[in-house]
Amino acid sequence: MAACRAGLIAIVCAGWLAGCGGGNGGGGGNDGGEYRAGEDGGAAVDVVPGAVPMVSLVPDNLGDGWQVSIPEAQSVNGAELKRRLEELLTSGSGGMDGIVIVRNDRLVAEAYFNGYARDTQHDMRSVTKSFTASLAGIAIEQGLMSLDDTLAQHIARFAEFDNVDDRKRSIRVANVLNMQTGLDCDDGRDSSPGNETYMYRRDDWIKYILSVPMQADPGTLTSYCSGAVTVLGSIIASRAGQKLEEFAERNLLNPLNMASVRWLHSPLGVTNASSAIQLRPRDAAKFGNLFLNRGRWYGTQVVPEAWVERSAQRLTAIRGEGYGWLWWKGYYSVRGNVQSGMYASGKGGNFIFVLPSERLVVVITASNYNRNGPSYGFFRDSILPTIQ
């Protein structure tokens, strides 16, 4: 549906289940439609140019800010990596559309399939949440808000919402960032009134989410709630005095030389801070690389160092997978040793994997929105074994 395309204008799309997404999937290593760890609804429509599939282990220097290298120079087994990537050309990519691999701050490999190319923006779904978390960290650093601020103190019409009580008035910014608002909002449960599917059918997303009943005290129950993240995005925008995407461009995207990023909006123009950001895989990898370098992009501080350290914390779990500060947390075997890592995850098999101890970032984009896909397994079983 062209009407669902993300951009810098408000998008009107009432029939989310019919054409703009809806449904579950995502974290915990799940790529497609089977729910494991909470996922998103709002979806953009990718523009697929019909490019020829390609695998490159000598990535081009495009002047986009990336330094490039051959894999062997960064202790990656280039021959084995080439074999595994080229198998996707001959046997099919299983719905994976793009793969970008970064080691030691150098882009060492990229591959594209199914008509996608390095310049194609891809709908990353709930990967958006991890971007919003960084914007929150930047806003806090700038004194626009704090983790202990309540949502109520930043939303003038809060008292007008339904089911307002002392518990709802006490929801803090930190609760949103750890999926512990206490709202009856669970994207993995169809009966939950706060399920994002129902929010996307309304014009006023903020009013809808903050009108659902409470089910627990804030901070006591973990429940994957996309709508609350969009509320947080609206607070950042309000405090900054500009649209969320404008705040993002000035403070996050422009410093990373991200030239082309799109966002989805509600019928009332509220930016979807929880889902459907569209960006190029090489740009997604830039964001991930910040978390290898204490928030710096080749020496320029972009995300506050303290926020990067906080983002690595595993504070709770959702469906058995570690979670904290709008990032998933996992453990991975590299050269026979177990390493901790973090990842941004979006429905369809979209991931930004970050393994700080290995100086490794891997981006996988995919379109397995209604079926299980191979993205998580390909990272674990095909890419990690090539790391030396």
Side-chain angles (χ1 to χ4, degrees):
M1 290 178 63
C4 303
R5 192 173 315 284
L8 298 182
I9 59 175
I11 306 299
V12 179
C13 185
W16 290 96
L17 289 179
C20 293
N24 306 311
N30 183 44
D31 293 353
E34 178 188 353
Y35 181 79
R36 288 191 187 178
E39 251 310 305
D40 53 71
V45 178
D46 295 331
V47 180
V48 183
V52 175
M54 62 89 77
V55 170
S56 175
L57 274 72
V58 187
D60 294 329
N61 189 334
L62 303 179
D64 60 353
W66 273 119
Q67 296 182 23
V68 300
S69 172
I70 61 172
E72 290 80 3
Q74 307 306 325
S75 299
V76 177
N77 185 330
E80 181 63 14
L81 180 60
K82 182 174 186 287
R83 182 185 71 81
R84 291 173 184 259
L85 290 175
E86 289 187 342
E87 282 181 351
L88 302 178
L89 292 175
T90 57
S91 303
S93 70
M96 291 186 292
D97 301 319
I99 299 170
V100 170
I101 302 173
V102 175
R103 187 97 193 272
N104 299 326
D105 304 325
R106 303 294 191 274
L107 198 154
V108 300
E110 58 183 334
Y112 302 96
F113 313 96
N114 307 318
Y116 287 81
R118 59 163 61 101
D119 289 327
T120 311
Q121 296 169 332
H122 200 289
D123 178 4
M124 300 291 286
R125 300 293 176 99
S126 271
V127 166
T128 311
K129 292 179 173 68
S130 300
F131 276 79
T132 298
S134 288
L135 296 178
I138 293 168
I140 290 168
E141 177 78 6
Q142 294 180 2
L144 301 179
M145 63 183 189
S146 78
L147 288 175
D148 290 329
D149 285 356
T150 64
L151 305 188
Q153 75 186 78
H154 291 301
I155 301 176
R157 58 186 179 130
F158 197 92
E160 303 172 9
F161 300 146
D162 297 337
N163 301 301
V164 173
D165 57 17
D166 288 342
R167 293 188 299 175
K168 186 176 288 188
R169 281 188 286 266
S170 69
I171 299 172
R172 300 180 301 122
V173 168
N175 298 141
V176 176
L177 289 162
N178 290 298
M179 295 294 182
Q180 295 179 327
T181 63
L183 291 165
D184 191 352
C185 177
D186 186 345
D187 295 340
R189 181 163 52 88
D190 290 341
S191 61
S192 170
N195 186 300
E196 64 176 345
T197 300
Y198 307 127
M199 179 187 77
Y200 291 132
R201 294 170 177 167
R202 305 310 202 275
D203 288 347
D204 191 338
W205 294 355
I206 307 304
K207 178 181 179 180
Y208 182 79
I209 286 299
L210 292 179
S211 290
V212 304
M214 297 291 290
Q215 62 175 337
D217 291 338
T220 65
L221 177 67
T222 304
S223 180
Y224 194 91
C225 178
S226 292
V229 180
T230 288
V231 171
L232 176 60
S234 75
I235 291 174
I236 296 171
S238 175
R239 294 294 296 153
Q242 57 188 165
K243 294 180 179 179
L244 183 67
E245 57 266 39
E246 293 172 343
F247 182 79
E249 287 169 9
R250 186 180 77 235
N251 293 283
L252 180 60
L253 307 182
N254 288 347
L256 295 177
N257 194 22
M258 290 191 186
S260 185
V261 178
R262 293 187 177 187
W263 304 75
L264 201 68
H265 298 80
S266 79
L268 297 183
V270 172
T271 305
N272 191 339
S274 66
S275 183
I277 193 172
Q278 292 186 71
L279 65 162
R280 303 179 308 167
R282 285 173 71 123
D283 286 339
K286 293 177 185 178
F287 176 66
N289 210 60
L290 292 174
F291 294 84
L292 299 183
N293 294 290
R294 300 179 179 178
R296 297 181 182 90
W297 174 247
Y298 291 121
T300 299
Q301 195 75 46
V302 180
V303 175
E305 181 175 344
W307 192 260
V308 171
E309 294 175 358
R310 185 186 301 275
S311 298
Q313 295 173 349
R314 180 189 302 254
L315 297 184
T316 186
I318 301 176
R319 305 296 170 109
E321 189 77 342
Y323 200 81
W325 308 108
L326 300 184
W327 284 87
W328 298 91
K329 310 303 189 309
Y331 294 104
Y332 307 95
S333 177
V334 183
R335 300 183 305 278
N337 300 315
V338 176
Q339 311 279 7
S340 62
M342 53 196 286
Y343 62 96
S345 170
K347 183 180 180 180
N350 294 284
F351 292 96
I352 304 174
F353 295 100
V354 180
L355 271 66
S357 62
E358 294 297 329
R359 305 287 301 161
L360 177 70
V361 173
V362 175
V363 170
I364 300 179
T365 61
S367 301
N368 292 303
Y369 299 122
N370 296 306
R371 62 186 184 273
N372 287 334
S375 298
Y376 193 95
F378 189 82
F379 167 73
R380 181 192 59 212
D381 301 330
S382 293
I383 294 178
L384 289 184
T386 70
I387 304 303
Q388 299 175 326

